[in-house]
Amino acid sequence: MSGTEIAALVASGAFAMLVLVLAVPILRLRRTVDATTDMIREVTAKTGPLLDNVNQTVGEVNTTVGQVQTTLDGINLQLVRVDAVTGPLSAAAANVAKVATAVTGASNSPIGKAATLAFGIRRALAARNNR
């Protein structure tokens, strides 16, 4: 055997040892990859129904929001009707306040007092004559 053949034999032995040394971590890595693959399959299997539940919940929330919107529209319609009713009442209350102010002002003046006295006398005389 020549030196080249011996060197080739040593190199091939070293390569074989390297392959054997690296085979153990590669086999362990294969187990890790298998476990990771199983875990991903399990997560995928559980994620589908979970997403279906989320979609159903979002659909129900959208339905509820639509019902709330319909209710708010009804409330706004009723508020418009209340405003339509209270508008004339507000004007009537203002007119009553003006009349009350005018009556108060008239009854506090000397002419108003004299008119009230004359009315009272006339009424008393009418009541006396009716007896």
Side-chain angles (χ1 to χ4, degrees), residues 11-131:
S12 66
F15 185 73
M17 287 299 290
L18 178 66
V19 168
L20 287 175
V21 168
L22 290 178
V24 173
I26 288 174
L27 291 175
R28 287 186 182 160
L29 182 63
R30 190 194 86 196
R31 289 185 196 138
T32 303
V33 169
D34 288 342
T36 304
T37 303
D38 292 341
M39 183 179 65
I40 289 173
R41 284 185 190 136
E42 186 177 330
V43 167
T44 302
K46 290 182 180 181
T47 303
L50 180 66
L51 290 177
D52 290 340
N53 289 340
V54 168
N55 286 335
Q56 181 181 358
T57 302
V58 168
E60 291 171 0
V61 167
N62 286 338
T63 301
T64 303
V65 168
Q67 292 170 348
V68 168
Q69 183 63 41
T70 301
T71 302
L72 287 177
D73 290 343
I75 289 171
N76 286 334
L77 180 64
Q78 294 300 323
L79 286 175
V80 167
R81 290 178 181 168
V82 168
D83 285 344
V85 169
T86 58
L89 292 177
S90 175
N95 290 338
V96 168
K98 288 178 185 177
V99 169
T101 302
V103 168
T104 303
S107 67
N108 287 337
S109 70
I111 295 174
K113 289 180 182 180
T116 304
L117 179 63
F119 176 75
I121 292 172
R122 201 174 339 140
R123 196 166 168 200
L125 289 174
R128 187 174 179 192
N129 289 338
N130 287 337
R131 282 191 190 175

